[in-house]
Amino acid sequence: MKRWRRSLAFALALSVAGALASPAARAQDAPDEEAQEAEDEAPPPVQQQKGRRKVIPARVDVGGKDRRATAADAKGGPSEKDRGKAELPVEERAARGVAIIERGGQVLGLGALLAGDGRILTALSPLGAGNDLTARLADGTTVRVKLGHHDRAWDLALLVPQTGKWAEGLTASSRDPVRPDAQIRSFTATRGKVAAVPLVLRSHRSLIGGDDRQLEEAIELGSRISPLDLGAPIVDEDGRVVAVLGRGCAPNEGKPCTPVAFGAPISAIRGFLRTVPSTAVQPAAWLGIQGVSEASQVAKGVRVTVVHPESPADEARLKGGDRAGSDMILAVDGVPVTTPEALADAIRTHAVGEKVPLTLLSGGKYRQVTVLLRAAPDPKAAASKKPEAELPPPSSSGKATEEYRK
């Protein structure tokens, strides 16, 4: 009986000891369900050591969050910067695709950057006559822009940046913007910043556009619009463009038409973009060298034979000429190039105004230089020295007013 009691007391002691084990030890004993589910690992092996249970870790995680972030990046996951943008509210993300159109620092209107394109869709009427236009982007930088295409009837214009390429553009919506449950927004500029504002859309109706042309299916607005907001995109709940703010006239029976703001619908915008001339593109970046493919004992690349005077390559002091004294270009911004065609393609992926690193081999030594890309000089334009084409004069039916009400 005494021996039975001693056995029972020993068993109870072991139970109490197990119940009082530290939370860390219990957590170590529990299998990592998330890791096991993701990687299909077997449970960690268990050893018995003097009557106590010991868990041998299956792996050691060195680096914590940094290591997990690196693994996500290696698998092609979004970077921290991209995740930060994705967490922004829809209207704030859309606002990054809106530019402020200026002349001499004075705001003229707004514009929508086309996704994956960099060109800016805006209203024609606020631009007036003459060029000297700039676009202020979401990060506060300004780029010079030129008129590439226009439609006076629908009050649309396409502006082509002459430097850089803004990647965060907007896309078109396929949803009907004039519906009872729609949550529509447009944009306004305050102190150099773009902000979303609610907008009421009433219906589709016929209006009179520039050159007294009839506009079918124009979107009638139910909100007041400032003239400085013309050209702004109108977006739906997903931040996709349903129209662009323009200026037209509402017909009155037996009276002059009333100037109003309206929305140029996606159907009109698509028709406008289909007619853009092939010349309305951003200038191609230019390095300013001639070269040939060459392979040495240590590397392959493009050997520079000629450096054009006053070119980006000349300013970066690239050396051309014979094999002994010239540079060999091995990579453009980390991308290897082994032929003149590959070099040209690599340069074309960058925009005018960008600073691009080149990896060079010369005299048996590697070095890196940074070139500031520019547009190639146009011999015909330099010879003729013609002034820049001016914007068309405003339509007679587009009179400016402080506010437009539908």
Side-chain angles (χ1 to χ4, degrees):
M1 175 67 71
K2 290 182 180 179
R3 195 162 83 187
W4 178 84
R5 287 178 179 175
R6 283 198 298 271
S7 300
L8 179 62
F10 182 71
L12 289 174
L14 286 177
S15 300
V16 172
L20 296 179
S22 67
R26 291 199 300 273
Q28 189 178 21
D29 287 347
D32 187 350
E33 294 181 358
E34 183 177 352
Q36 186 173 2
E37 186 176 306
E39 301 182 18
D40 196 23
E41 291 183 349
V46 180
Q47 288 183 349
Q48 297 292 335
Q49 184 178 1
K50 295 182 180 180
R52 296 187 64 183
R53 188 169 181 263
K54 181 180 179 182
V55 176
I56 301 175
R59 65 181 185 277
V60 179
D61 186 7
V62 181
K65 293 182 179 179
D66 293 339
R67 179 170 178 174
R68 287 192 292 272
T70 303
D73 292 340
K75 295 178 181 178
S79 64
E80 290 290 344
K81 184 177 180 181
D82 292 336
R83 284 194 291 270
K85 291 177 184 176
E87 292 170 359
L88 291 174
V90 170
E91 59 269 20
E92 291 186 29
R93 291 204 309 270
R96 293 189 62 81
V98 180
I100 303 174
I101 312 303
E102 302 175 342
R103 177 183 287 116
Q106 181 178 359
V107 176
L108 303 178
L110 302 179
L113 287 119
L114 304 181
D117 186 293
R119 291 178 292 184
I120 302 170
L121 182 67
T122 185
L124 176 66
S125 56
L127 305 182
N131 275 302
D132 300 323
L133 298 171
T134 57
R136 185 177 299 276
L137 305 177
D139 62 354
T141 60
T142 58
V143 296
R144 184 167 172 260
V145 294
K146 285 185 178 181
L147 180 71
H149 186 47
H150 72 276
D151 183 337
R152 208 191 306 262
W154 279 104
D155 196 26
L156 292 172
L158 185 68
L159 302 179
V160 182
Q162 300 302 292
T163 58
K165 187 174 182 180
W166 188 255
E168 299 175 56
L170 302 176
T171 58
S173 173
S174 59
R175 307 178 72 179
D176 179 13
V178 184
R179 61 185 197 280
D181 61 337
Q183 297 180 6
I184 303 299
R185 296 177 179 85
S186 187
F187 298 88
T188 188
T190 304
R191 297 179 181 179
K193 296 291 184 180
V194 173
V197 291
L199 187 69
V200 176
L201 304 183
R202 285 185 175 173
S203 63
H204 295 278
R205 63 167 297 184
S206 296
L207 295 175
I208 299 174
D211 297 334
D212 297 327
R213 287 176 54 188
Q214 191 83 6
L215 303 180
E216 301 296 339
E217 295 297 310
I219 298 178
E220 182 183 14
L221 308 182
S223 303
R224 294 177 180 269
I225 298 297
S226 166
L228 298 182
D229 294 342
L230 290 174
I234 303 173
V235 300
D236 63 11
E237 300 87 340
D238 301 322
R240 297 178 181 272
V241 179
V242 298
V244 169
L245 286 174
R247 174 186 290 156
C249 268
N252 294 318
E253 190 74 30
K255 297 179 182 179
C257 66
T258 303
V260 293
F262 70 93
I266 286 298
S267 58
I269 292 171
R270 284 176 173 155
F272 169 74
L273 293 177
R274 279 195 292 266
T275 61
V276 173
S278 59
T279 55
V281 294
Q282 291 181 259
W286 178 59
L287 179 58
I289 66 113
Q290 294 179 19
V292 295
S293 299
E294 188 162 299
S296 69
Q297 294 180 348
V298 294
K300 293 182 179 180
V302 177
R303 184 169 65 83
V304 179
T305 57
V306 176
V307 176
H308 294 279
E310 300 181 358
S311 67
D314 187 31
E315 293 172 356
R317 299 183 179 179
L318 267 68
K319 296 176 291 184
D322 57 21
R323 184 177 289 103
S326 61
D327 289 322
M328 182 188 295
I329 302 175
L330 305 180
V332 177
D333 197 15
V335 178
V337 291
T338 57
T339 66
E341 293 77 17
L343 174 60
D345 290 341
I347 293 296
R348 274 195 294 267
T349 62
H350 298 275
V352 171
E354 280 192 53
K355 293 182 178 180
V356 179
L358 303 181
T359 304
L360 307 176
L361 175 65
S362 60
K365 296 182 180 179
Y366 295 97
R367 64 188 180 103
Q368 190 173 78
V369 300
T370 300
V371 295
L372 177 62
L373 298 177
R374 297 200 309 270
D378 186 352
K380 295 181 180 179
S384 61
K385 294 184 180 180
K386 290 182 179 179
E388 292 182 349
E390 292 189 348
L391 295 171
S395 171
S396 59
S397 61
K399 296 180 181 179
T401 60
E402 286 301 317
E403 291 179 332
Y404 299 90
R405 183 195 287 275
K406 286 306 229 169

